[in-house]
Amino acid sequence: MANTTEKKAYQAPDETGRFGEYGGRFVPETLMPALLELETAYREAKEDPAFVAQLDHYLKDYVGRENPLYFAERLTETAGGAKIYLKREDLNHTGAHKINNAIGQALLAKRMGKTKIIAETGAGQHGVATATACALLDMECIVFMGKEDIRRQELNVFRMELLGASVVSVEQGSGTLKDAVNEALRYWVANVSDTHYVIGSALGPHPFPEIVRDLQRVIGVETRRQILEKEGRLPDAVVACVGGGSNSIGMFHPFVDDTDVALYGVEAAGSGVETGKHAAALTGGRPGALHGAFMYLLQDEAGQINEAHSISAGLDYPGAGPEHSHFRDTGRVTYSSVTDDQALEALKMLSRKEGILPALESSHAVHYAVELASGMSPDQIVVICLSGRGDKDVMTVRDALKGGNGNV
Amino acid sequence: MSEITKAILEARESGGCAFVPYIMAGDGGLGRLKEDLLFLQEAGATAVELGIPFSDPAADGPVIQEAGLRALEAGTTLKAVIEEVKAIGDEVHIPIIFMTYLNPILSYGMAGFANDCQEAGIAGVIVPDVPFEESAPLEDCLRMNGIDLIRLIPLSAPEERIRKIAEAAEGFIYAVTVDGITGVRDSFGGTTDGRLERLKEIADIPVLAGFGISSPEHVRDFGRTADGVIVGSAIVDALHRGDKEPIKELIGSAKDIAVPAE
């Protein structure tokens, strides 16, 4: 996890788990001893060469890292501006960046003597990644999933079960991702002594946003090294999609002190931010406390949490992690949003031009980056974090395109 | 002495233990709040814990979750509850304690919330997603208005942590008897073995036991050691079903407790 070539000016979170004013530990008292224990265990593990070597081993030989930084020549021609590179997280084992975090946290849990892992999942990607890590490390795995999501993602439920995980249907609330997080938290409170909660994004109470970020930093660390090798310089812009914000924070973090590198976070605008049916917490929400952290949230005037809406289940969450919330306020990262329709267009474009079928989540970043690149000059460089592959989305895309003009 | 502490000590001195029912504000509409509060007062409740509904109640079990959703569907907001309590006024003289998650308070504005609670006569506030480390800003706002921040202490916590929280506690200590969420449980599996007694020794204000207490037997069991009990899901369920008898029985069971000789 160490990289000596980076500058170390930006340091967060502080000892209270704050990124600026965001973050913290807004959880029931019963969880506090577990969070303090986790923080101590994580600090020790991070400094333990044996743990770092074990993690590196699995990332290299099991996940398949490092994955390529690919120059997308035909996409670049189509955009007609800056050179576009793709960081190929879609080539990881299980098809997305989620495995970087799942393996790291499962190893940490095992080191702490926990025997059981729980996780929440929306579309099922984090659930599959966690079930995979648990199969590999021989740990018990329970995945909480909203009943609506179970209905929409039947195949992923079966994948998790094949991997040996139990999938618990969450009937409460709206039966989607935020309800699955609530239920995972409830289960954790009652089983905290033998159970570790593998949170899937850069969310939740301290130290989770820090742990998830550190485990996903490998994306940005590799990208930085690869672009220096290929181009001899850093990119002008880096673009990543933001749901909870794990692939994006992992990509951005190693570039934070490189002030010449512009960072762009792309949220899901769903049907459009103005319609109210969206998942753009940073561009269309306001700060509040949910699931353990103070962060930007979709909420009504009375502080009740609103449902998020996006064609991409992985972005369908009403908050954006505390470090992103901080970067929004400081302006270090520019956040904007891309609609369902724009993401679908980008998915088709990348499939046709490069033979790469991106996840709907990543397609949001692709759309934004192509627009951005088209206004830049050919000697400039844009890197997109291609966070996952789109195989999981084929049915959704087919339904969406049929519901539209029917033309692929 | 805090109004809440005083009420609990009075209940203890009269040969029983304190009984604090939890109800969800707005379950069945805010129009019935006054009637429910007067019923609980008449039945002998020591104080009332009044839940404010939240869309994502991660510390609550199914009964209170559902009551909260019903209350939200009826349009209940924190602001409306504060106004209703203010309108009810002195007719309800037992202390009212709000139980609300943090986000509705943040949305309302912490200072304004504390001030308006004071004007409405709220005696204490419980916020289940604000642990000790995060409590200073809220505690400051409430203290300026003479309102107790009621702290939860899980009996499973390390003793050092129990001492730290107990020292900062006001009104009473809410002892969380089981690791878990609110809701009815048949058995306590002996998890409190000696820990409740230990907390009583450490605490210099009353200790009330809560989470999972649902039967007169539970009330009598916990009432021997604790200064009182908090009953939530069983009360919420009975009120929702429109059956007040079990509530009278529960409150009645707290009136005569055989306290072991000290």
Side-chain angles (χ1 to χ4, degrees):
Chain A
M1 280 183 258
N3 188 316
T4 50
T5 62
E6 289 165 37
K7 290 169 265 177
K8 282 285 178 198
Y10 169 75
Q11 288 287 353
D14 65 14
E15 67 280 3
T16 68
R18 292 304 197 286
F19 303 88
E21 63 176 309
Y22 301 98
R25 283 175 289 218
F26 296 97
V27 294
E29 267 297 337
T30 309
L31 288 182
M32 277 306 298
L35 292 178
L36 296 169
E37 179 199 0
L38 176 62
E39 190 178 352
T40 306
Y42 177 61
R43 303 256 175 270
E44 285 167 10
K46 225 165 90 156
E47 300 304 323
D48 178 356
F51 179 80
V52 174
Q54 195 184 24
L55 179 58
D56 286 350
H57 157 70
Y58 283 118
L59 289 179
K60 178 171 182 287
D61 292 342
Y62 187 75
V63 175
R65 305 203 73 95
E66 73 179 35
N67 54 39
L69 180 68
Y70 165 71
F71 172 49
E73 196 170 355
R74 295 194 66 217
L75 189 66
T76 299
E77 278 170 24
T78 307
K83 291 174 84 169
I84 301 174
Y85 280 87
L86 304 175
K87 178 57 176 168
R88 299 291 307 275
E89 292 299 309
D90 61 315
L91 294 178
N92 292 339
H93 180 45
T94 71
H97 70 290
K98 293 288 186 190
I99 191 77
N100 302 329
N101 170 50
I103 292 234
Q105 284 204 49
L107 282 172
L108 180 61
K110 190 143 195 159
R111 182 188 161 96
M112 291 170 71
K114 307 282 180 184
T115 55
K116 201 160 44 177
I117 295 287
I118 56 168
E120 84 295 337
T121 199
Q125 291 313 104
H126 173 58
V128 168
T130 307
T132 299
C134 289
L136 174 70
L137 300 172
D138 191 22
M139 298 177 84
E140 189 184 342
C141 180
I142 304 173
V143 178
F144 294 88
M145 192 168 178
K147 68 170 191 294
E148 269 305 299
D149 288 333
I150 285 187
R151 193 180 57 76
R152 291 188 289 202
Q153 299 287 338
E154 209 180 327
L155 269 181
N156 264 341
V157 174
F158 187 60
R159 279 173 83 189
M160 288 184 266
E161 287 169 350
L162 275 177
L163 290 160
S166 318
V167 179
V168 175
S169 173
V170 178
E171 314 283 326
Q172 285 86 355
S174 51
T176 60
L177 180 56
K178 79 178 175 79
D179 308 290
V181 176
N182 290 334
E183 203 57 22
L185 285 169
R186 290 180 188 120
Y187 183 92
W188 199 29
V189 172
N191 297 274
V192 67
S193 59
D194 65 350
T195 303
H196 176 70
Y197 179 14
V198 178
I199 290 184
S201 194
L203 295 165
H206 178 64
F208 281 106
E210 179 185 353
I211 294 177
V212 176
R213 176 199 72 196
D214 289 356
L215 291 169
Q216 295 292 1
R217 277 185 92 246
V218 66
I219 304 171
V221 168
E222 286 179 6
T223 300
R224 203 173 186 283
R225 185 170 62 230
Q226 289 167 315
I227 199 75
L228 286 172
E229 278 166 17
K230 287 176 194 291
E231 295 280 353
R233 69 179 188 89
L234 294 175
D236 299 280
V238 176
V239 183
C241 64
V242 182
S246 70
N247 88 84
S248 43
I249 206 71
M251 177 57 117
F252 294 162
H253 195 258
F255 292 102
V256 166
D257 290 326
D258 300 311
T259 46
D260 291 341
V261 179
L263 305 173
Y264 296 93
V266 185
E267 295 192 292
S271 311
V273 172
E274 71 289 349
T275 67
K277 294 211 168 294
H278 64 89
L282 294 163
T283 38
R286 62 187 175 84
L290 181 70
H291 297 152
F294 186 61
M295 61 182 172
Y296 275 84
L297 288 176
L298 301 179
Q299 55 182 318
D300 70 11
E301 283 177 6
Q304 306 296 340
I305 308 306
N306 289 338
E307 283 293 305
H309 296 272
S310 168
I311 190 170
S312 139
L315 302 181
D316 208 351
Y317 180 79
E323 195 159 21
H324 283 294
S325 298
H326 176 56
F327 287 150
R328 177 203 184 277
D329 285 7
T330 64
R332 178 61 189 95
V333 180
T334 304
Y335 294 93
S336 57
S337 61
V338 159
T339 65
D340 289 350
D341 289 346
Q342 291 170 325
L344 281 166
E345 284 307 313
L347 179 141
K348 285 197 289 183
M349 183 191 287
L350 192 63
S351 300
R352 294 289 176 88
K353 295 295 174 189
E354 298 286 352
I356 296 170
L357 174 57
L360 277 168
E361 291 79 5
S362 324
S363 301
H364 288 74
V366 173
H367 174 85
Y368 187 84
V370 167
E371 297 255 296
L372 181 72
S374 70
M376 294 165 70
S377 68
D379 60 348
Q380 290 184 297
I381 301 164
V382 174
V383 174
I384 304 172
C385 184
L386 201 70
S387 57
R389 68 178 180 222
D391 304 52
K392 69 181 174 66
D393 295 319
V394 169
M395 297 290 275
T396 309
V397 172
R398 190 184 65 173
D399 291 350
L401 293 178
K402 278 188 176 164
N405 56 20
N407 299 322
V408 172
Chain B
M1 185 187 291
S2 134
E3 182 192 349
I4 304 173
T5 311
K6 195 158 162 274
I8 294 168
L9 292 179
E10 279 169 14
R12 206 49 168 157
E13 278 154 19
S14 64
C17 76
F19 188 100
V20 179
Y22 169 101
I23 61 172
M24 175 62 77
D27 184 11
L30 264 185
R32 65 177 280 181
L33 181 61
K34 182 176 179 179
E35 180 196 325
D36 286 345
L37 289 173
L38 288 173
F39 159 70
L40 293 168
Q41 176 172 277
E42 183 66 22
T46 312
V48 175
E49 187 184 342
L50 188 56
I52 307 296
F54 181 50
S55 53
D56 294 79
D60 283 307
V63 171
I64 292 179
Q65 288 174 40
E66 279 156 30
L69 289 179
R70 289 193 298 267
L72 287 176
E73 272 161 30
T76 311
T77 62
L78 175 55
K79 194 172 169 49
V81 177
I82 292 176
E83 278 163 13
E84 182 63 19
V85 170
K86 196 171 172 182
I88 291 170
D90 290 346
E91 254 184 281
V92 175
H93 50 77
I94 57 175
I96 296 175
I97 301 156
F98 273 160
M99 154 35 221
T100 172
Y101 288 82
L102 178 60
N103 204 50
I105 298 179
L106 294 176
S107 217
Y108 197 101
M110 208 176 263
F113 167 74
N115 181 67
D116 293 356
C117 280
Q118 190 270 327
E119 283 181 12
I122 297 299
V125 174
I126 300 173
V127 189
D129 55 349
V130 173
F132 180 77
E133 282 79 355
E134 302 287 355
S135 62
L138 184 59
E139 183 183 34
D140 291 347
C141 287
L142 293 174
R143 185 171 287 160
M144 281 197 303
N145 289 280
I147 298 167
D148 294 336
L149 176 63
I150 307 297
R151 294 175 187 273
L152 291 96
I153 299 186
L155 293 179
S156 63
E159 176 152 336
E160 191 189 340
R161 185 168 181 86
I162 290 180
R163 286 187 178 278
K164 197 163 64 172
I165 303 172
E167 194 158 314
E170 302 161 338
F172 67 88
I173 288 167
Y174 190 143
V176 181
T177 52
V178 288
D179 279 359
I181 52 177
T182 61
V184 173
R185 284 171 184 80
D186 288 337
S187 144
F188 280 87
T191 48
T192 70
D193 53 353
R195 289 175 170 270
L196 189 56
E197 287 79 356
R198 185 79 190 113
L199 175 56
K200 270 293 294 170
E201 283 168 30
I202 292 169
D204 55 10
I205 56 173
V207 174
L208 266 57
F211 277 48
I213 296 175
S214 57
S215 69
E217 292 71 39
H218 290 157
V219 173
R220 282 188 286 267
D221 282 354
F222 281 102
R224 275 194 283 276
T225 309
D227 298 295
V229 294
I230 300 162
V231 179
S233 297
I235 303 273
V236 169
D237 182 51
L239 277 181
H240 178 56
R241 287 186 288 107
D243 181 7
K244 290 180 173 170
E245 284 313 310
I247 302 177
K248 289 181 191 163
E249 195 192 341
L250 278 162
I251 298 179
S253 67
K255 291 299 161 202
D256 187 16
I257 303 275
V259 182
E262 305 218 352

